[in-house]
Amino acid sequence: MLGSSLLIILVSTVQYVPVCEWGKYGHNCDRLCSDQCRLHPVRNLRHCHKDTGKCSEGCVRGRHGDHCDKFCSPNCIKNSCIQLNGKCNIGCMEGYSGYFCNITTVPAVQGVPVCEWGRYGHNCDRLCSGDCGLYLGTKLRPCHKYTGKCLQGCVRGWHGDHCDQLCSPNCINTICNQGNGGCTIGCIDGYSGYFCNTTAVTQKQTTVSTVQGVPVCEWGKYGHNCDRLCSDHCGLYLGTKLRPCHKYTGKCLQGCVRGRHGDYCDQLCSPNCISTICNQGNGGCTIGCVDGYIGYFCNTTAVSTVQYVPVCEWGKYGHNCDRQCSDQCRLHPVRNLRHCHKDTGKCLQGCVRGRHGDHCDQLCSPNCIRNSCIQLNRECTIGCMEGFSGYFCNITTVSTVQGVPVCEWGKYGHNCDRLCSDQCRLHPVRNLRHCQKDTGKCSEGCVRGWHGDHCDQLCSPNCIKTTCNQPKGACTLGCIDGYSGYFCNTTTVSTVQGIPMCEWGKYGDNCDRQCSDKCRLHPVRNLRHCHKYTGKCSEGCVRGRHGDHCDQLCSPNCIINYCIQLNGECTIGCMEGFSGYFCNITTGSQIQTTGEGHITQSIQWMWMLPVAVYIFSTIC
């Protein structure tokens, strides 16, 4: 009877089919998930498929396969690959290419060297311009092998093939198109035109939308009458959903979406380019080639051997490089990969903690401190645990107290033949589990997510970070949103004196109305919040808006379009040519002129009068 009760505690059932606890699988939940399965980001536990044992959260770095029992190629950047097939998902280390980074790149094609990034020329002895744009995520400036043309555009303020020409100082942020110097974002106040070289004409504080009678197109359109759409394959401008193209030609100004190239992004990149990414101008593969191909356009078959003898990738050995280095070999400190001798398979970086031997297939003495010993002869490198001595810590110093054996760490019971729970927390110094000699109670508490004397009970999933105290399982950090109580097992009350309290983002008597999407997000919760009854935005408005519901536009003359929520007053100041609290007063532009070009006196008094009235009322 006791055994059946215990079974109900340990293994829950659904229609008489056992549902395994996290970390186990099999018909009777008696098999452990691979320790190479990635931990769940919240529960910090491994989980695998009930029947197959397939890792549900993917693999730890350096592994792939259903059970994460296969090694990623040691040539993958950061040793990272896809669980499904082992394909390197970030890219290859220098000197390798292909999906699996198992092809040695050829340093020359028909005797012509392939330049490293940042250089060009027949002998790769010339430096790319220092004003070439950096490749994303690197400090490298790629340019064309023969011409030196910058392949990632120019740094701000420059344009041209070699980024040796200055953008117009009238471009916003001095940003212009690499090809022709056209201002890609627009012009600063007072200028217009594709190159921002035309003095803008303003009438009644409104910028004229035409230049010599020709309309200036909004982003995403082109043509004489701005009635044609830019290609859907044009690249988006950073931070927007707009695709800018040339006013007359329709040429994409922000490059192409992935997989396309050409002026109109109407040509496909080579399928042999990594991630099908290529240069807009000529279709050259900018990141590199997939497995089996090399060359600027990745159209040349790669060579995979040196004098027809295969060179083993890291993590493999043997004549044909078909054997795996032991997974107990220590990782290389820089490459984060295992490496062993080409012929013998001997681990060249030593063993992981707790192992020794050429192939790290022998266990260190459990009596070594931190289970650490020398690869060559298993001598304990740090010293022995209490109660043991000798080079190999195999000599018992004090084995009994009044005839009762003293258990080594990790064991308990009258004869020290029972293991402490795997859920016991490790000792912070010894990095070993310890439990009481007679009861097996975990001495250092439980790992996160567990409680009880033997840490065999789960904390409530409603605890923040599933953290609870060992004795009773009370949530030590508090409860997640929607729960309360000592054990976070009580649904939080949704009303106050019978009036419902709205969740973030809603308001109204019945909490059935949405806060304005122009409300600013809360800096911590990343959610919108507004007043329960009025809907007034509690955290202010997004840039460019003001008002209780942020439904009014700031003056376009405010610097960076910033204004106060309360009354729309420009908070940073006014753009050039405007002044006043609301930047609605023109300082130097023409508003209404006489035939000789002078501002009429009546108009001058018209805008000065409100200012005088405001000053007078303030003084009084």
Side-chain angles (χ1 to χ4, degrees):
M1 192 67 183
L2 180 60
S4 62
S5 298
L6 183 59
L7 178 63
I8 292 173
I9 292 172
L10 295 179
V11 181
S12 59
T13 62
V14 177
Q15 294 182 351
Y16 306 105
V17 179
V19 177
C20 300
E21 63 180 288
W22 281 47
K24 294 187 178 183
Y25 76 103
H27 184 70
N28 297 315
C29 303
D30 54 354
R31 304 180 67 181
L32 293 176
C33 299
S34 168
D35 58 0
Q36 304 301 331
C37 292
R38 182 184 288 135
L39 295 173
H40 188 275
V42 177
R43 290 202 168 189
N44 202 32
L45 299 170
R46 293 181 176 87
H47 187 260
C48 58
H49 191 275
K50 164 72 172 65
D51 301 312
T52 63
K54 179 180 178 180
C55 297
S56 306
E57 296 293 328
C59 305
V60 297
R61 190 169 65 183
R63 296 279 186 151
H64 74 96
D66 285 351
H67 299 88
C68 301
D69 53 352
K70 300 175 181 178
F71 289 97
C72 299
S73 167
N75 304 322
C76 295
I77 291 177
K78 294 188 177 179
N79 203 15
S80 179
C81 67
I82 297 172
Q83 180 182 9
L84 177 65
N85 57 12
K87 177 183 176 182
C88 300
N89 53 359
I90 300 178
C92 303
M93 294 178 60
E94 185 178 3
Y96 296 91
S97 66
Y99 280 118
F100 307 100
C101 299
N102 57 348
I103 297 174
T104 306
T105 51
V106 181
V109 176
Q110 297 180 349
V112 180
V114 177
C115 300
E116 60 181 291
W117 280 24
R119 293 175 179 264
Y120 75 103
H122 185 71
N123 296 313
C124 304
D125 54 354
R126 303 181 68 182
L127 294 176
C128 300
S129 168
D131 295 312
C132 288
L134 296 173
Y135 185 74
L136 292 177
T138 72
K139 294 184 179 180
L140 302 172
R141 307 178 189 276
C143 61
H144 191 275
K145 166 72 171 73
Y146 298 107
T147 64
K149 178 181 177 179
C150 299
L151 299 179
Q152 287 296 316
C154 304
V155 296
R156 191 170 68 181
W158 295 86
H159 73 97
D161 285 351
H162 299 87
C163 301
D164 52 356
Q165 302 176 56
L166 288 170
C167 298
S168 167
N170 304 324
C171 295
I172 291 178
N173 293 336
T174 61
I175 294 176
C176 65
N177 178 262
Q178 180 184 5
N180 55 19
C183 299
T184 50
I185 301 179
C187 306
I188 62 176
D189 188 29
Y191 293 90
S192 64
Y194 187 62
F195 303 100
C196 298
N197 56 354
T198 304
T199 304
V201 178
T202 58
Q203 295 179 349
K204 295 182 181 180
Q205 301 179 12
T206 302
T207 306
V208 180
S209 60
T210 61
V211 176
Q212 297 180 349
V214 179
V216 177
C217 300
E218 60 181 292
W219 280 24
K221 294 186 178 183
Y222 75 104
H224 183 72
N225 296 314
C226 304
D227 54 355
R228 303 180 67 182
L229 293 175
C230 301
S231 168
D232 288 339
H233 300 299
C234 289
L236 296 173
Y237 186 73
L238 293 176
T240 72
K241 294 183 179 179
L242 302 172
R243 305 178 189 278
C245 61
H246 191 275
K247 165 70 170 73
Y248 298 108
T249 65
K251 178 181 177 180
C252 299
L253 299 179
Q254 287 296 319
C256 303
V257 296
R258 191 171 68 182
R260 296 279 181 158
H261 73 97
D263 285 350
Y264 307 100
C265 301
D266 54 353
Q267 302 176 57
L268 293 172
C269 298
S270 167
N272 304 325
C273 296
I274 290 178
S275 300
T276 60
I277 294 176
C278 64
N279 177 262
Q280 180 184 6
N282 54 20
C285 300
T286 50
I287 300 179
C289 305
V290 299
D291 187 24
Y293 295 91
I294 59 172
Y296 189 61
F297 302 99
C298 297
N299 55 356
T300 304
T301 305
V303 179
S304 59
T305 61
V306 177
Q307 295 181 350
Y308 306 103
V309 178
V311 177
C312 296
E313 56 184 291
W314 279 45
K316 293 188 177 183
Y317 75 103
H319 183 70
N320 295 314
C321 303
D322 54 356
R323 303 181 67 183
Q324 297 280 353
C325 298
S326 168
D327 58 359
Q328 305 300 332
C329 292
R330 181 183 289 134
L331 296 173
H332 188 277
V334 177
R335 288 201 169 191
N336 202 32
L337 302 169
R338 293 180 176 86
H339 190 245
C340 59
H341 192 276
K342 166 74 170 66
D343 300 312
T344 64
K346 178 181 177 179
C347 298
L348 299 179
Q349 292 293 323
C351 304
V352 297
R353 191 170 62 189
R355 296 280 182 154
H356 74 96
D358 285 350
H359 298 89
C360 301
D361 52 355
Q362 301 175 58
L363 293 172
C364 298
S365 167
N367 305 322
C368 295
I369 291 179
R370 294 190 180 177
N371 205 14
S372 179
C373 67
I374 297 174
Q375 179 183 9
L376 178 64
N377 61 5
R378 75 181 178 88
E379 178 183 340
C380 297
T381 50
I382 301 177
C384 303
M385 293 176 59
E386 185 178 0
F388 297 92
S389 64
Y391 284 113
F392 310 106
C393 298
N394 56 350
I395 301 173
T396 306
T397 53
V398 179
S399 58
T400 62
V401 176
Q402 295 180 351
V404 180
V406 177
C407 300
E408 61 182 289
W409 281 46
K411 293 186 178 183
Y412 75 103
H414 183 71
N415 296 313
C416 303
D417 54 356
R418 303 181 67 181
L419 293 175
C420 299
S421 168
D422 288 340
Q423 308 303 334
C424 291
R425 182 182 288 130
L426 296 173
H427 188 276
V429 177
R430 290 201 169 189
N431 203 33
L432 299 170
R433 293 181 177 87
H434 187 262
C435 56
Q436 290 184 7
K437 166 75 170 61
D438 300 315
T439 64
K441 179 180 178 180
C442 297
S443 306
E444 295 294 328
C446 305
V447 296
R448 190 170 66 182
W450 296 85
H451 74 96
D453 285 350
H454 299 89
C455 300
D456 53 355
Q457 300 175 58
L458 288 170
C459 298
S460 166
N462 303 324
C463 296
I464 291 177
K465 294 186 179 180
T466 60
T467 300
C468 63
N469 67 12
Q470 183 181 4
K472 295 183 179 180
C475 300
T476 50
L477 299 179
C479 306
I480 61 175
D481 192 22
Y483 295 90
S484 64
Y486 198 54
F487 304 100
C488 297
N489 55 354
T490 304
T491 306
T492 51
V493 180
S494 59
T495 62
V496 177
Q497 295 181 350
I499 301 174
M501 298 298 294
C502 300
E503 61 180 288
W504 281 48
K506 293 188 177 183
Y507 76 103
D509 287 341
N510 298 313
C511 303
D512 54 354
R513 302 181 68 182
Q514 298 284 348
C515 298
S516 168
D517 59 359
K518 303 303 181 184
C519 292
R520 182 183 289 130
L521 295 173
H522 188 274
V524 177
R525 291 203 168 189
N526 202 33
L527 298 170
R528 293 181 175 87
H529 188 262
C530 59
H531 191 274
K532 165 73 171 71
Y533 298 107
T534 64
K536 178 180 178 180
C537 297
S538 306
E539 295 294 326
C541 304
V542 297
R543 190 170 68 184
R545 296 281 182 154
H546 74 96
D548 284 352
H549 298 88
C550 301
D551 53 353
Q552 301 177 55
L553 293 172
C554 297
S555 167
N557 305 323
C558 294
I559 291 178
I560 316 181
N561 208 13
Y562 266 133
C563 67
I564 296 173
Q565 180 184 9
L566 177 65
N567 57 9
E569 179 182 337
C570 298
T571 51
I572 300 178
C574 303
M575 294 177 62
E576 185 179 358
F578 296 91
S579 64
Y581 285 112
F582 308 101
C583 299
N584 57 349
I585 301 172
T586 307
T587 55
S589 300
Q590 295 177 343
I591 299 175
Q592 181 176 340
T593 62
T594 62
E596 291 77 17
H598 299 290
I599 302 175
T600 61
Q601 189 173 8
S602 60
I603 296 298
Q604 293 182 29
W605 283 106
M606 188 178 298
W607 64 261
M608 291 175 63
L609 183 59
V611 178
V613 171
Y614 173 78
I615 295 172
F616 180 77
S617 62
T618 304
I619 296 173
C620 294

